[in-house]
Amino acid sequence: MDLVWSDEFDTAGPIDTTKWSFVVGDGCPNLCGWGNNELQYYSDGLAKNSRIEEGKLIIEAIKESSGNSDYTSAKIVSKGNGDWKYGRLEISAKLPSGVGTWPAIWMLPTDETKYGSWPKFGEIDIMEHVGYNQDSIFGTIHTDAYNHLKGTQKEGSVEIKTAETEFHEYVIDWNEDRIQWFVDNKMYHEFKNEKKTVSEWPFDQSFYLILNIAVGGSWGGRQGVDDGIWPQRMEVDYVRVYQMN
């Protein structure tokens, strides 16, 4: 496989906007709380919420008011700058700590109209973590047939006791037949293409990468939010994307 896209975060300062852009706001008025009752406002490139320092991307959630939210954070996307159909994505990251944190490394389709609205168009969650369940890492897909609204999502998990204190490599290997999830080269989940319809497999199109920390929400806030833990950060050492030559 060939390296086709990467960010090593070697240059201190703001995020490289030739590779990333920002999602801004709280989702209102159409999707307040981003559809999950989340509590953060995503800022637009403010250094306090997103920056590169000491060779790492920092995404930082802070307890402070912005708009109608009591927290600020950052959500960066590769859409339009990094979009891929199939490949191996490797992200080395150290996660935030504490009840109420909900960091994610995930993917959505570049064309969100091709198969209809979420979850019909598909979602690939490379890594999700919730602070009240600190030793577990989750990898999941959502489609029209398989999603958490129906309780049919296809999900795997693995125990990583040092996710919040050490860097680990979170990986998907995605081709036309299946998606596999790895942590530190150990596969823990697989979703196979059942060769049925787009309701089961909308993953035949380009997707882009998303990095963010949410606060609270329907999953991350299931046991509340500890107001004494902030600020919290996710650090990313590198993002690397490989595809077959």
Side-chain angles (χ1 to χ4, degrees), residues 182-208:
F182 302 80
V183 175
D184 300 332
N185 291 318
K186 177 183 178 181
M187 190 179 83
Y188 69 93
H189 182 43
E190 181 177 59
F191 175 66
K192 293 182 178 180
N193 185 353
E194 300 169 344
K195 312 289 187 180
K196 294 180 180 178
T197 71
V198 296
S199 290
E200 293 79 25
W201 183 270
F203 305 116
D204 59 349
Q205 58 180 319
S206 292
F207 278 62
Y208 63 92

PDB file of all heavy atoms in Angstrom, residues 182-208:
ATOM      1  N   PHE A 182      -8.460  -2.108  14.393  1.00  0.00           N
ATOM      2  CA  PHE A 182      -7.270  -2.529  15.126  1.00  0.00           C
ATOM      3  C   PHE A 182      -6.909  -1.478  16.171  1.00  0.00           C
ATOM      4  O   PHE A 182      -7.144  -0.283  15.978  1.00  0.00           O
ATOM      5  CB  PHE A 182      -6.068  -2.656  14.188  1.00  0.00           C
ATOM      6  CG  PHE A 182      -6.231  -3.614  13.052  1.00  0.00           C
ATOM      7  CD1 PHE A 182      -6.931  -3.241  11.910  1.00  0.00           C
ATOM      8  CD2 PHE A 182      -5.667  -4.886  13.105  1.00  0.00           C
ATOM      9  CE1 PHE A 182      -7.065  -4.113  10.844  1.00  0.00           C
ATOM     10  CE2 PHE A 182      -5.795  -5.759  12.039  1.00  0.00           C
ATOM     11  CZ  PHE A 182      -6.494  -5.380  10.902  1.00  0.00           C
ATOM     12  N   VAL A 183      -6.315  -1.920  17.269  1.00  0.00           N
ATOM     13  CA  VAL A 183      -5.573  -1.045  18.175  1.00  0.00           C
ATOM     14  C   VAL A 183      -4.186  -1.656  18.339  1.00  0.00           C
ATOM     15  O   VAL A 183      -4.057  -2.840  18.701  1.00  0.00           O
ATOM     16  CB  VAL A 183      -6.258  -0.899  19.545  1.00  0.00           C
ATOM     17  CG1 VAL A 183      -5.371  -0.087  20.484  1.00  0.00           C
ATOM     18  CG2 VAL A 183      -7.608  -0.237  19.408  1.00  0.00           C
ATOM     19  N   ASP A 184      -3.168  -0.866  18.028  1.00  0.00           N
ATOM     20  CA  ASP A 184      -1.781  -1.335  18.137  1.00  0.00           C
ATOM     21  C   ASP A 184      -1.580  -2.666  17.424  1.00  0.00           C
ATOM     22  O   ASP A 184      -0.988  -3.615  17.951  1.00  0.00           O
ATOM     23  CB  ASP A 184      -1.371  -1.451  19.612  1.00  0.00           C
ATOM     24  CG  ASP A 184      -1.464  -0.127  20.342  1.00  0.00           C
ATOM     25  OD1 ASP A 184      -1.315   0.926  19.693  1.00  0.00           O
ATOM     26  OD2 ASP A 184      -1.700  -0.141  21.565  1.00  0.00           O
ATOM     27  N   ASN A 185      -2.107  -2.731  16.203  1.00  0.00           N
ATOM     28  CA  ASN A 185      -1.965  -3.887  15.307  1.00  0.00           C
ATOM     29  C   ASN A 185      -2.742  -5.121  15.746  1.00  0.00           C
ATOM     30  O   ASN A 185      -2.600  -6.186  15.124  1.00  0.00           O
ATOM     31  CB  ASN A 185      -0.486  -4.262  15.115  1.00  0.00           C
ATOM     32  CG  ASN A 185       0.282  -3.218  14.323  1.00  0.00           C
ATOM     33  OD1 ASN A 185      -0.222  -2.693  13.323  1.00  0.00           O
ATOM     34  ND2 ASN A 185       1.480  -2.894  14.774  1.00  0.00           N
ATOM     35  N   LYS A 186      -3.581  -5.001  16.760  1.00  0.00           N
ATOM     36  CA  LYS A 186      -4.413  -6.132  17.179  1.00  0.00           C
ATOM     37  C   LYS A 186      -5.840  -5.892  16.697  1.00  0.00           C
ATOM     38  O   LYS A 186      -6.476  -4.917  17.092  1.00  0.00           O
ATOM     39  CB  LYS A 186      -4.391  -6.274  18.702  1.00  0.00           C
ATOM     40  CG  LYS A 186      -5.298  -7.387  19.212  1.00  0.00           C
ATOM     41  CD  LYS A 186      -5.314  -7.449  20.734  1.00  0.00           C
ATOM     42  CE  LYS A 186      -6.262  -8.527  21.229  1.00  0.00           C
ATOM     43  NZ  LYS A 186      -6.313  -8.576  22.716  1.00  0.00           N
ATOM     44  N   MET A 187      -6.339  -6.778  15.825  1.00  0.00           N
ATOM     45  CA  MET A 187      -7.699  -6.631  15.329  1.00  0.00           C
ATOM     46  C   MET A 187      -8.710  -7.040  16.407  1.00  0.00           C
ATOM     47  O   MET A 187      -8.539  -8.083  17.051  1.00  0.00           O
ATOM     48  CB  MET A 187      -7.923  -7.487  14.083  1.00  0.00           C
ATOM     49  CG  MET A 187      -9.247  -7.181  13.376  1.00  0.00           C
ATOM     50  SD  MET A 187      -9.522  -8.164  11.878  1.00  0.00           S
ATOM     51  CE  MET A 187     -10.167  -9.678  12.605  1.00  0.00           C
ATOM     52  N   TYR A 188      -9.736  -6.206  16.591  1.00  0.00           N
ATOM     53  CA  TYR A 188     -10.744  -6.531  17.600  1.00  0.00           C
ATOM     54  C   TYR A 188     -12.172  -6.500  17.065  1.00  0.00           C
ATOM     55  O   TYR A 188     -13.103  -6.869  17.784  1.00  0.00           O
ATOM     56  CB  TYR A 188     -10.621  -5.596  18.806  1.00  0.00           C
ATOM     57  CG  TYR A 188     -11.019  -4.158  18.549  1.00  0.00           C
ATOM     58  CD1 TYR A 188     -12.317  -3.718  18.809  1.00  0.00           C
ATOM     59  CD2 TYR A 188     -10.101  -3.238  18.058  1.00  0.00           C
ATOM     60  CE1 TYR A 188     -12.680  -2.401  18.580  1.00  0.00           C
ATOM     61  CE2 TYR A 188     -10.452  -1.924  17.824  1.00  0.00           C
ATOM     62  CZ  TYR A 188     -11.743  -1.505  18.086  1.00  0.00           C
ATOM     63  OH  TYR A 188     -12.107  -0.197  17.854  1.00  0.00           O
ATOM     64  N   HIS A 189     -12.355  -6.084  15.803  1.00  0.00           N
ATOM     65  CA  HIS A 189     -13.713  -6.010  15.260  1.00  0.00           C
ATOM     66  C   HIS A 189     -13.640  -6.092  13.745  1.00  0.00           C
ATOM     67  O   HIS A 189     -12.684  -5.604  13.125  1.00  0.00           O
ATOM     68  CB  HIS A 189     -14.376  -4.701  15.706  1.00  0.00           C
ATOM     69  CG  HIS A 189     -15.793  -4.531  15.252  1.00  0.00           C
ATOM     70  ND1 HIS A 189     -16.718  -5.551  15.287  1.00  0.00           N
ATOM     71  CD2 HIS A 189     -16.454  -3.451  14.738  1.00  0.00           C
ATOM     72  CE1 HIS A 189     -17.881  -5.096  14.849  1.00  0.00           C
ATOM     73  NE2 HIS A 189     -17.740  -3.837  14.496  1.00  0.00           N
ATOM     74  N   GLU A 190     -14.680  -6.697  13.158  1.00  0.00           N
ATOM     75  CA  GLU A 190     -14.777  -6.785  11.707  1.00  0.00           C
ATOM     76  C   GLU A 190     -16.237  -6.695  11.280  1.00  0.00           C
ATOM     77  O   GLU A 190     -17.116  -7.282  11.918  1.00  0.00           O
ATOM     78  CB  GLU A 190     -14.175  -8.104  11.211  1.00  0.00           C
ATOM     79  CG  GLU A 190     -14.218  -8.273   9.701  1.00  0.00           C
ATOM     80  CD  GLU A 190     -13.536  -9.560   9.244  1.00  0.00           C
ATOM     81  OE1 GLU A 190     -13.992 -10.644   9.690  1.00  0.00           O
ATOM     82  OE2 GLU A 190     -12.576  -9.487   8.470  1.00  0.00           O
ATOM     83  N   PHE A 191     -16.478  -5.934  10.234  1.00  0.00           N
ATOM     84  CA  PHE A 191     -17.814  -5.851   9.636  1.00  0.00           C
ATOM     85  C   PHE A 191     -17.677  -6.209   8.166  1.00  0.00           C
ATOM     86  O   PHE A 191     -16.951  -5.563   7.423  1.00  0.00           O
ATOM     87  CB  PHE A 191     -18.395  -4.446   9.797  1.00  0.00           C
ATOM     88  CG  PHE A 191     -19.722  -4.264   9.099  1.00  0.00           C
ATOM     89  CD1 PHE A 191     -20.841  -4.955   9.535  1.00  0.00           C
ATOM     90  CD2 PHE A 191     -19.840  -3.414   8.010  1.00  0.00           C
ATOM     91  CE1 PHE A 191     -22.063  -4.796   8.887  1.00  0.00           C
ATOM     92  CE2 PHE A 191     -21.057  -3.244   7.363  1.00  0.00           C
ATOM     93  CZ  PHE A 191     -22.173  -3.942   7.807  1.00  0.00           C
ATOM     94  N   LYS A 192     -18.380  -7.266   7.749  1.00  0.00           N
ATOM     95  CA  LYS A 192     -18.264  -7.749   6.383  1.00  0.00           C
ATOM     96  C   LYS A 192     -19.407  -7.220   5.517  1.00  0.00           C
ATOM     97  O   LYS A 192     -20.528  -7.037   5.983  1.00  0.00           O
ATOM     98  CB  LYS A 192     -18.267  -9.283   6.368  1.00  0.00           C
ATOM     99  CG  LYS A 192     -17.043  -9.898   7.021  1.00  0.00           C
ATOM    100  CD  LYS A 192     -17.068 -11.410   6.927  1.00  0.00           C
ATOM    101  CE  LYS A 192     -15.814 -12.028   7.534  1.00  0.00           C
ATOM    102  NZ  LYS A 192     -15.821 -13.515   7.443  1.00  0.00           N
ATOM    103  N   ASN A 193     -19.081  -6.984   4.264  1.00  0.00           N
ATOM    104  CA  ASN A 193     -20.080  -6.600   3.275  1.00  0.00           C
ATOM    105  C   ASN A 193     -20.948  -7.817   2.974  1.00  0.00           C
ATOM    106  O   ASN A 193     -20.462  -8.829   2.452  1.00  0.00           O
ATOM    107  CB  ASN A 193     -19.380  -6.099   2.004  1.00  0.00           C
ATOM    108  CG  ASN A 193     -20.356  -5.577   0.963  1.00  0.00           C
ATOM    109  OD1 ASN A 193     -21.571  -5.700   1.102  1.00  0.00           O
ATOM    110  ND2 ASN A 193     -19.820  -5.000  -0.092  1.00  0.00           N
ATOM    111  N   GLU A 194     -22.222  -7.722   3.307  1.00  0.00           N
ATOM    112  CA  GLU A 194     -23.133  -8.847   3.115  1.00  0.00           C
ATOM    113  C   GLU A 194     -23.626  -8.961   1.683  1.00  0.00           C
ATOM    114  O   GLU A 194     -24.400  -9.870   1.359  1.00  0.00           O
ATOM    115  CB  GLU A 194     -24.316  -8.706   4.077  1.00  0.00           C
ATOM    116  CG  GLU A 194     -23.894  -8.690   5.536  1.00  0.00           C
ATOM    117  CD  GLU A 194     -25.031  -8.275   6.476  1.00  0.00           C
ATOM    118  OE1 GLU A 194     -26.043  -7.720   5.993  1.00  0.00           O
ATOM    119  OE2 GLU A 194     -24.900  -8.514   7.685  1.00  0.00           O
ATOM    120  N   LYS A 195     -23.204  -8.029   0.821  1.00  0.00           N
ATOM    121  CA  LYS A 195     -23.566  -8.053  -0.604  1.00  0.00           C
ATOM    122  C   LYS A 195     -25.077  -8.011  -0.786  1.00  0.00           C
ATOM    123  O   LYS A 195     -25.639  -8.703  -1.635  1.00  0.00           O
ATOM    124  CB  LYS A 195     -22.996  -9.303  -1.295  1.00  0.00           C
ATOM    125  CG  LYS A 195     -21.522  -9.575  -1.017  1.00  0.00           C
ATOM    126  CD  LYS A 195     -20.610  -8.584  -1.690  1.00  0.00           C
ATOM    127  CE  LYS A 195     -19.153  -8.984  -1.522  1.00  0.00           C
ATOM    128  NZ  LYS A 195     -18.205  -8.052  -2.164  1.00  0.00           N
ATOM    129  N   LYS A 196     -25.734  -7.170   0.024  1.00  0.00           N
ATOM    130  CA  LYS A 196     -27.179  -7.020  -0.083  1.00  0.00           C
ATOM    131  C   LYS A 196     -27.506  -5.678  -0.734  1.00  0.00           C
ATOM    132  O   LYS A 196     -27.452  -5.559  -1.952  1.00  0.00           O
ATOM    133  CB  LYS A 196     -27.828  -7.156   1.295  1.00  0.00           C
ATOM    134  CG  LYS A 196     -27.708  -8.548   1.915  1.00  0.00           C
ATOM    135  CD  LYS A 196     -28.366  -8.608   3.275  1.00  0.00           C
ATOM    136  CE  LYS A 196     -28.255  -9.983   3.903  1.00  0.00           C
ATOM    137  NZ  LYS A 196     -28.856 -10.033   5.268  1.00  0.00           N
ATOM    138  N   THR A 197     -27.810  -4.654   0.065  1.00  0.00           N
ATOM    139  CA  THR A 197     -28.201  -3.357  -0.477  1.00  0.00           C
ATOM    140  C   THR A 197     -27.421  -2.257   0.244  1.00  0.00           C
ATOM    141  O   THR A 197     -26.668  -2.513   1.188  1.00  0.00           O
ATOM    142  CB  THR A 197     -29.708  -3.109  -0.297  1.00  0.00           C
ATOM    143  OG1 THR A 197     -29.982  -2.890   1.108  1.00  0.00           O
ATOM    144  CG2 THR A 197     -30.527  -4.300  -0.782  1.00  0.00           C
ATOM    145  N   VAL A 198     -27.644  -1.008  -0.178  1.00  0.00           N
ATOM    146  CA  VAL A 198     -26.993   0.116   0.494  1.00  0.00           C
ATOM    147  C   VAL A 198     -27.499   0.289   1.917  1.00  0.00           C
ATOM    148  O   VAL A 198     -26.865   0.991   2.713  1.00  0.00           O
ATOM    149  CB  VAL A 198     -27.170   1.423  -0.301  1.00  0.00           C
ATOM    150  CG1 VAL A 198     -26.477   1.316  -1.644  1.00  0.00           C
ATOM    151  CG2 VAL A 198     -28.645   1.781  -0.466  1.00  0.00           C
ATOM    152  N   SER A 199     -28.608  -0.321   2.267  1.00  0.00           N
ATOM    153  CA  SER A 199     -29.083  -0.259   3.647  1.00  0.00           C
ATOM    154  C   SER A 199     -28.102  -0.939   4.599  1.00  0.00           C
ATOM    155  O   SER A 199     -27.975  -0.534   5.753  1.00  0.00           O
ATOM    156  CB  SER A 199     -30.464  -0.914   3.781  1.00  0.00           C
ATOM    157  OG  SER A 199     -31.451  -0.139   3.156  1.00  0.00           O
ATOM    158  N   GLU A 200     -27.433  -1.955   4.107  1.00  0.00           N
ATOM    159  CA  GLU A 200     -26.424  -2.647   4.918  1.00  0.00           C
ATOM    160  C   GLU A 200     -25.015  -2.128   4.644  1.00  0.00           C
ATOM    161  O   GLU A 200     -24.180  -2.108   5.557  1.00  0.00           O
ATOM    162  CB  GLU A 200     -26.449  -4.155   4.628  1.00  0.00           C
ATOM    163  CG  GLU A 200     -27.702  -4.884   5.071  1.00  0.00           C
ATOM    164  CD  GLU A 200     -28.860  -4.692   4.098  1.00  0.00           C
ATOM    165  OE1 GLU A 200     -28.601  -4.413   2.896  1.00  0.00           O
ATOM    166  OE2 GLU A 200     -30.017  -4.808   4.529  1.00  0.00           O
ATOM    167  N   TRP A 201     -24.748  -1.708   3.413  1.00  0.00           N
ATOM    168  CA  TRP A 201     -23.370  -1.350   3.026  1.00  0.00           C
ATOM    169  C   TRP A 201     -23.386  -0.103   2.140  1.00  0.00           C
ATOM    170  O   TRP A 201     -23.384  -0.209   0.902  1.00  0.00           O
ATOM    171  CB  TRP A 201     -22.697  -2.519   2.318  1.00  0.00           C
ATOM    172  CG  TRP A 201     -21.264  -2.268   1.950  1.00  0.00           C
ATOM    173  CD1 TRP A 201     -20.796  -1.724   0.789  1.00  0.00           C
ATOM    174  CD2 TRP A 201     -20.097  -2.545   2.752  1.00  0.00           C
ATOM    175  NE1 TRP A 201     -19.420  -1.640   0.806  1.00  0.00           N
ATOM    176  CE2 TRP A 201     -18.961  -2.151   2.003  1.00  0.00           C
ATOM    177  CE3 TRP A 201     -19.913  -3.089   4.023  1.00  0.00           C
ATOM    178  CZ2 TRP A 201     -17.661  -2.285   2.486  1.00  0.00           C
ATOM    179  CZ3 TRP A 201     -18.621  -3.223   4.490  1.00  0.00           C
ATOM    180  CH2 TRP A 201     -17.507  -2.827   3.739  1.00  0.00           C
ATOM    181  N   PRO A 202     -23.386   1.083   2.733  1.00  0.00           N
ATOM    182  CA  PRO A 202     -23.233   2.310   1.958  1.00  0.00           C
ATOM    183  C   PRO A 202     -21.773   2.739   1.824  1.00  0.00           C
ATOM    184  O   PRO A 202     -21.480   3.888   1.476  1.00  0.00           O
ATOM    185  CB  PRO A 202     -24.024   3.324   2.789  1.00  0.00           C
ATOM    186  CG  PRO A 202     -23.809   2.869   4.202  1.00  0.00           C
ATOM    187  CD  PRO A 202     -23.701   1.355   4.150  1.00  0.00           C
ATOM    188  N   PHE A 203     -20.861   1.818   2.093  1.00  0.00           N
ATOM    189  CA  PHE A 203     -19.434   2.148   2.187  1.00  0.00           C
ATOM    190  C   PHE A 203     -18.696   1.927   0.864  1.00  0.00           C
ATOM    191  O   PHE A 203     -17.548   1.484   0.843  1.00  0.00           O
ATOM    192  CB  PHE A 203     -18.801   1.337   3.319  1.00  0.00           C
ATOM    193  CG  PHE A 203     -19.494   1.523   4.629  1.00  0.00           C
ATOM    194  CD1 PHE A 203     -20.131   0.462   5.250  1.00  0.00           C
ATOM    195  CD2 PHE A 203     -19.551   2.775   5.229  1.00  0.00           C
ATOM    196  CE1 PHE A 203     -20.800   0.640   6.456  1.00  0.00           C
ATOM    197  CE2 PHE A 203     -20.215   2.963   6.429  1.00  0.00           C
ATOM    198  CZ  PHE A 203     -20.850   1.897   7.044  1.00  0.00           C
ATOM    199  N   ASP A 204     -19.378   2.254  -0.252  1.00  0.00           N
ATOM    200  CA  ASP A 204     -18.788   2.157  -1.585  1.00  0.00           C
ATOM    201  C   ASP A 204     -18.584   3.554  -2.168  1.00  0.00           C
ATOM    202  O   ASP A 204     -18.690   3.759  -3.378  1.00  0.00           O
ATOM    203  CB  ASP A 204     -19.681   1.324  -2.505  1.00  0.00           C
ATOM    204  CG  ASP A 204     -21.075   1.906  -2.650  1.00  0.00           C
ATOM    205  OD1 ASP A 204     -21.428   2.839  -1.891  1.00  0.00           O
ATOM    206  OD2 ASP A 204     -21.821   1.450  -3.542  1.00  0.00           O
ATOM    207  N   GLN A 205     -18.288   4.504  -1.315  1.00  0.00           N
ATOM    208  CA  GLN A 205     -18.147   5.899  -1.712  1.00  0.00           C
ATOM    209  C   GLN A 205     -17.045   6.544  -0.866  1.00  0.00           C
ATOM    210  O   GLN A 205     -16.583   5.968   0.121  1.00  0.00           O
ATOM    211  CB  GLN A 205     -19.465   6.644  -1.518  1.00  0.00           C
ATOM    212  CG  GLN A 205     -19.974   6.594  -0.084  1.00  0.00           C
ATOM    213  CD  GLN A 205     -21.287   7.338   0.111  1.00  0.00           C
ATOM    214  OE1 GLN A 205     -21.488   8.415  -0.429  1.00  0.00           O
ATOM    215  NE2 GLN A 205     -22.187   6.759   0.890  1.00  0.00           N
ATOM    216  N   SER A 206     -16.652   7.750  -1.231  1.00  0.00           N
ATOM    217  CA  SER A 206     -15.595   8.457  -0.507  1.00  0.00           C
ATOM    218  C   SER A 206     -16.086   8.956   0.846  1.00  0.00           C
ATOM    219  O   SER A 206     -17.201   9.486   0.962  1.00  0.00           O
ATOM    220  CB  SER A 206     -15.097   9.638  -1.335  1.00  0.00           C
ATOM    221  OG  SER A 206     -14.418   9.191  -2.487  1.00  0.00           O
ATOM    222  N   PHE A 207     -15.234   8.811   1.853  1.00  0.00           N
ATOM    223  CA  PHE A 207     -15.483   9.320   3.200  1.00  0.00           C
ATOM    224  C   PHE A 207     -14.327  10.239   3.600  1.00  0.00           C
ATOM    225  O   PHE A 207     -13.234  10.159   3.065  1.00  0.00           O
ATOM    226  CB  PHE A 207     -15.562   8.172   4.213  1.00  0.00           C
ATOM    227  CG  PHE A 207     -16.900   7.485   4.282  1.00  0.00           C
ATOM    228  CD1 PHE A 207     -17.420   6.818   3.183  1.00  0.00           C
ATOM    229  CD2 PHE A 207     -17.644   7.502   5.457  1.00  0.00           C
ATOM    230  CE1 PHE A 207     -18.645   6.173   3.254  1.00  0.00           C
ATOM    231  CE2 PHE A 207     -18.877   6.866   5.542  1.00  0.00           C
ATOM    232  CZ  PHE A 207     -19.383   6.202   4.438  1.00  0.00           C
ATOM    233  N   TYR A 208     -14.600  11.122   4.567  1.00  0.00           N
ATOM    234  CA  TYR A 208     -13.569  11.996   5.106  1.00  0.00           C
ATOM    235  C   TYR A 208     -13.435  11.772   6.612  1.00  0.00           C
ATOM    236  O   TYR A 208     -14.306  11.173   7.250  1.00  0.00           O
ATOM    237  CB  TYR A 208     -13.875  13.467   4.807  1.00  0.00           C
ATOM    238  CG  TYR A 208     -15.157  13.993   5.433  1.00  0.00           C
ATOM    239  CD1 TYR A 208     -15.162  14.601   6.677  1.00  0.00           C
ATOM    240  CD2 TYR A 208     -16.369  13.891   4.756  1.00  0.00           C
ATOM    241  CE1 TYR A 208     -16.330  15.082   7.252  1.00  0.00           C
ATOM    242  CE2 TYR A 208     -17.541  14.367   5.309  1.00  0.00           C
ATOM    243  CZ  TYR A 208     -17.527  14.960   6.553  1.00  0.00           C
ATOM    244  OH  TYR A 208     -18.697  15.432   7.115  1.00  0.00           O
TER     245      TYR A 208
END
